[in-house]
Amino acid sequence: MSKHEPVLLKNMLQPGYTGSLADYEKTGGYQALRKVVGKVPPTDVTGTVMKSGLRGRGGAGFPTGVKWGFLPKDYQGPRYLCCNADESEPGTFKDRQLIERDPHQILEGILLACYAIGAESAYIYIRGEFVLGAKILEAAIAEARTAGYIGTNILSTGITANVWVHRGAGAYICGEETALLESLEGKRGLPRVKPPFPATHGLYNKPTVVNNVETLANLPHIISRGPEWFASIGSPPKSTGTRIFCVSGHVKRPGNYEVPMGVTFRELIYEEAGGMRSNKPIKAFIPGGASAPFLTPDSLDVKLDFESVAAAGSMLGSGGVTVMEEGTDMVWAALRLMEFFYHESCGKCSPCREGSSWLVQTMRRIVAKRGRMEDLETLVDLCKNIAGRTVCAFGDAEISPIMSTLKHWRPEYVKMIHEAEAANLIHPKRIMAQP
Ligand SMILES: Cc1cc2nc3c(=O)[nH]c(=O)nc-3n(C[C@H](O)[C@H](O)[C@H](O)COP(=O)(O)O)c2cc1C
């Protein structure tokens, strides 16, 4: 049992909690919406969210209230809210639990955000594989509509707020906000060049906010309990609130753990997730989803907040913490992730499309014990030519596993190549057979 008070997972941890509207209302659900809609000016809601210090939980950690504030004030046409439920980052599975176990918490957050930014329509873009989640959300929307929380004239205030579920077809890139918007518009999910940003030119070229599921789920609590309460949790002033970390890999109890930001990796892994399954020491961990550079056990006492993880050379990202025990083959681990990125590269930008292909081929060659010493330079060269040269952050993400494993475990690459060389010496015909 965790010693930390859960906020977002609290309801679902109660015995018998089903996530129905009746259950959610019993816990105080939709009181935050009742408190502000039609009573408090929308700009004050944005101000409250700014004051809370809430930062996006989707990956980049951008301050939520500040993002909302970028929408043009005097724009008369429609504006949109998109809830990013694509959850495509490997090692990340928190949004899925929030959706399946407490959908009304997310819907209330969506309605609060709609009110704050003046959007009459919100779209939940959910990854295609989350069939159950999509059904649960549809059912919850129907319940909330019947109860007067969603629709025209919500809570008899004259305000309109509609929410729609849109299922994606299962592409990593569609979690990127502008590719998500393209996909939502019925086009192929390719990222857009920014600027212009979605705040001014988003869905159907209208002012749009894209927020992650967990980000939005925090809103009812911030409105109900106040921004000061939220800002006092975690590592103020820059990393406030709790965060759901998805712990996977060689731990005893993989799962989602909600802790205040600022606890250490050691506490998360050894106290919350029960430590290592085989009691072997930790060799490596990824702190924030597959896009985040690997860290070594030297970083176990780093705090889980945006600044501390960045200072340690990685990023908090999506909150997916994958732990690997001593004995893990790090070159193979990097190849495994590279295979994923190669498969998912959308192909729009040449450095990523071509570079991911060459990276995966070179890595496969090394792991197949057919590598050459110059392959290591080729890998670094390819990574450097991808970094910062793509339309979206996918390029920077895909080079993380290779660059960080080369930084920390270069001898493992060298050993594999030496083994390849030795094998070739013994079997000279294999040298001739090489491509
Ligand atoms: C390749 C790529 C994939 C992404 N996948 C997701 C995702 O699955 N879910 C998500 O919320 N954000 C994802 N993001 C981040 C979004 O672009 C965007 O920053 C986020 O949805 C904004 O919400 P937030 O401010 O609430 O964090 C991804 C970004 C990139 C570059």
Side-chain angles (χ1 to χ4, degrees):
M1 192 68 183
S2 176
K3 63 183 183 214
H4 302 289
E5 188 207 334
V7 177
L8 302 174
L9 302 182
K10 187 174 176 185
N11 291 343
M12 65 185 84
L13 291 172
Q14 305 306 314
Y17 186 80
T18 62
S20 67
L21 178 62
D23 278 7
Y24 185 63
E25 283 178 325
K26 268 188 233 153
T27 67
Y30 288 108
Q31 289 307 319
L33 192 69
R34 289 182 184 280
K35 188 172 160 184
V36 296
V37 169
K39 296 177 185 152
V40 173
T43 47
D44 285 11
V45 177
T46 303
T48 301
V49 174
M50 277 187 194
K51 217 167 153 188
S52 74
L54 175 67
R55 289 172 64 174
R57 297 337 194 201
F62 197 83
T64 307
V66 176
K67 187 191 272 192
W68 295 359
F70 289 150
L71 263 67
K73 312 266 173 300
D74 46 359
Y75 184 79
Q76 294 305 313
R79 302 146 177 257
Y80 297 105
L81 175 79
C82 295
C83 169
N84 191 341
D86 196 58
E87 190 150 72
S88 48
E89 185 74 11
T92 313
F93 38 84
K94 63 190 173 66
D95 295 343
R96 176 179 176 181
Q97 186 167 352
L98 289 171
I99 291 166
E100 291 180 1
R101 304 282 294 279
D102 208 1
H104 285 284
Q105 181 177 232
I106 302 162
L107 290 182
E108 189 176 7
I110 288 173
L111 294 167
L112 286 164
C114 280
Y115 180 65
I117 66 169
E120 294 192 343
S121 297
Y123 295 92
I124 305 175
Y125 186 98
I126 186 166
R127 65 179 303 144
E129 293 92 329
F130 286 179
V131 178
L132 178 63
K135 282 187 185 157
I136 287 173
L137 281 170
E138 296 274 14
I141 290 169
E143 272 185 313
R145 191 180 292 280
T146 308
Y149 296 121
I150 290 178
T152 47
N153 193 22
I154 63 168
L155 297 172
S156 309
T157 56
I159 290 163
T160 296
N162 279 303
V163 186
W164 315 102
V165 176
H166 182 98
R167 285 179 61 196
Y172 176 59
I173 195 60
C174 289
E176 194 281 333
E177 58 180 8
T178 58
L180 181 154
L181 297 175
E182 288 284 294
S183 171
L184 203 49
E185 288 179 9
K187 298 180 223 152
R188 186 172 161 192
L190 299 176
R192 297 176 183 168
V193 176
K194 292 188 272 189
F197 291 94
T200 54
H201 298 74
L203 188 63
Y204 308 119
N205 230 12
K206 306 290 179 209
T208 301
V209 163
V210 182
N211 272 141
N212 167 261
V213 166
E214 187 187 350
T215 312
L216 293 164
N218 273 296
L219 299 175
H221 305 281
I222 292 171
I223 300 299
S224 292
R225 299 172 79 169
E228 294 81 10
W229 160 79
F230 192 84
S232 71
I233 304 172
S235 288
K238 291 197 170 164
S239 297
T240 58
T242 63
R243 189 107 197 233
I244 306 174
F245 292 103
C246 323
V247 188
S248 64
H250 302 151
V251 291
K252 279 196 183 120
R253 292 195 301 265
N256 284 324
Y257 296 96
E258 185 180 13
V259 292
M261 279 211 258
V263 306
T264 62
F265 283 102
R266 190 181 298 282
E267 179 179 339
L268 180 73
I269 295 168
Y270 283 99
E271 292 182 30
E272 300 288 332
M276 301 305 284
R277 62 176 187 189
S278 57
N279 294 321
K280 285 188 194 167
I282 294 177
K283 179 169 182 181
F285 61 97
I286 306 175
S291 308
F294 284 71
L295 291 176
T296 67
D298 291 345
S299 298
L300 277 174
D301 292 312
V302 168
K303 289 180 172 179
L304 281 146
D305 61 45
F306 292 107
E307 289 69 37
S308 305
V309 182
S314 192
M315 61 177 193
L316 208 51
S318 62
V321 179
T322 306
V323 190
M324 292 162 215
E325 66 192 9
E326 201 53 71
T328 305
D329 180 337
M330 299 312 294
V331 187
W332 180 86
L335 169 62
R336 185 66 199 84
L337 291 175
M338 195 57 234
E339 296 273 8
F340 168 79
F341 286 118
Y342 167 58
H343 182 261
E344 293 296 327
S345 175
C346 76
K348 177 160 180 161
C349 312
S350 312
C352 175
R353 182 185 64 242
E354 302 299 320
S356 62
S357 164
W358 285 110
L359 281 173
V360 87
Q361 286 184 56
T362 312
M363 289 292 291
R364 279 178 191 159
R365 189 163 66 208
I366 294 172
V367 171
K369 305 273 169 69
R370 290 193 290 111
R372 300 177 287 242
M373 233 17 149
E374 45 293 13
D375 285 343
L376 300 187
E377 278 158 48
T378 306
L379 286 175
V380 174
D381 197 41
L382 285 164
C383 288
K384 284 188 178 159
N385 278 299
I386 295 172
R389 295 185 183 188
T390 51
V391 162
C392 81
F394 186 113
D396 292 335
E398 72 181 330
I399 64 169
S400 288
I402 294 179
M403 287 301 273
S404 57
T405 48
L406 269 172
K407 178 176 162 197
H408 298 298
W409 297 279
R410 191 183 171 92
E412 294 193 17
Y413 282 84
V414 172
K415 186 168 170 260
M416 270 191 188
I417 292 169
H418 281 160
E419 282 168 8
E421 285 167 352
N424 285 334
L425 283 177
I426 298 164
H427 304 287
K429 279 189 191 152
R430 282 192 57 195
I431 298 175
M432 295 176 70
Q434 272 194 12

